[in-house]
Amino acid sequence: MTVGVVVPAAGAGTRLGAGRPKALHDLAGEPLLVHAVRQLRACPSIGPVVVAAPPADVAAVQALLPDALVVAGGAERQDSVAAGLAALPAEVDLVLVHDAARALVPVDVVEAVVAALRDGAQAVVPVLPVADTVKQVAADGTVVRTVPRADLRAVQTPQGFQRSVLEAAHRTSSGSLTDDAGLVEAAGVTVHTVAGSPLAFKVTTPFDLLVAEAVLRG
Ligand code: C5P
């Protein structure tokens, strides 16, 4: 089975405060996106890679990543993933969706997602236990309830899908969710979990960039 990857990389990166798309932000001398695609390419299972770039940066991103197919992303993350999915070559049967911002994802995590798909799962997400106590809070800032922590997981990428399952979910969904597993959950598909990694964290804030630089320094 051929495994393709869609890398949504068209976000504005407002929380990073750099005034440029987050995926193109520098980490140890290279854009975050270049680190992310390098990690994916290091995975023996991975075939074609499609990157959804900010529309104004498609040519620049294509020059950075000559081995990937670069398309223009959309206004919402879901639009960017849909654009990438539409550009995947026909031979791809298993699709991973991986945030460019999770630039240091370990090969083991990617391969665990692929292995679960090859074992027959329709949808797979890497997860970590939640370390903090989590509370639901009302609009006025008061606590509504404490959510039992043992039942919670933080969800990372790459998220893996049988191609037909993800395409069907994208065709039928009109909402705007923060991940792709949410789309297929809404369609009634069982989503499986594998162990994620602290190294697969999403670079969102300047603090996260400091952590990523420290990781790369070893
Ligand atoms: O905003 P957030 O951190 O959830 O974005 C996750 C990933 O989705 C990032 O890699 C970002 O570049 C991408 N994205 C996108 N198109 C958008 C918004 C976000 O490709 N319109």
Side-chain angles (χ1 to χ4, degrees):
M1 294 184 115
T2 302
V3 183
V5 191
V6 173
V7 183
T14 315
R15 288 166 291 179
L16 205 48
R20 60 196 298 220
K22 178 166 69 177
L24 300 179
H25 198 84
D26 183 85
L27 168 62
E30 290 177 303
L32 278 171
L33 173 62
V34 171
H35 289 274
V37 172
R38 181 181 302 123
Q39 292 303 105
L40 293 166
R41 288 272 182 231
C43 302
S45 301
I46 296 306
V49 174
V50 176
V51 174
D57 297 304
V58 169
V61 171
Q62 187 67 77
L64 280 172
L65 299 168
D67 295 341
L69 175 59
V70 181
V71 298
E76 303 289 336
R77 182 184 182 282
Q78 195 173 318
D79 303 322
S80 298
V81 174
L85 258 182
L88 274 178
E91 74 265 21
V92 169
D93 348 78
L94 304 177
V95 180
L96 306 187
V97 181
H98 181 62
D99 288 337
R102 297 186 188 273
L104 304 182
V105 61
V107 168
D108 287 358
V109 172
V110 181
E111 291 296 333
V113 171
V114 173
L117 291 174
R118 290 198 198 282
D119 283 348
Q122 294 198 298
V124 186
V125 295
V127 299
L128 287 179
V130 174
D132 294 317
T133 296
V134 178
K135 296 188 192 293
Q136 184 183 345
V137 177
D140 68 359
T142 58
V143 170
V144 176
R145 67 185 184 111
T146 303
V147 186
R149 190 172 63 189
D151 296 341
L152 297 177
R153 300 290 181 275
V155 178
Q156 304 181 318
T157 72
Q159 300 189 346
F161 307 89
Q162 307 288 333
R163 180 179 187 162
S164 56
V165 168
L166 185 58
E167 285 179 339
H170 269 267
R171 270 197 302 275
T172 53
S173 166
S174 54
S176 181
L177 294 169
T178 52
D179 79 344
D180 296 276
L183 285 180
V184 307
E185 282 161 52
V189 173
T190 300
V191 179
H192 295 260
T193 62
V194 296
S197 164
L199 291 171
F201 71 101
K202 183 162 68 172
V203 176
T204 305
T205 65
F207 175 78
D208 300 328
L209 262 183
L210 286 176
V211 174
E213 281 162 8
V215 168
L216 286 174
R217 278 199 304 272

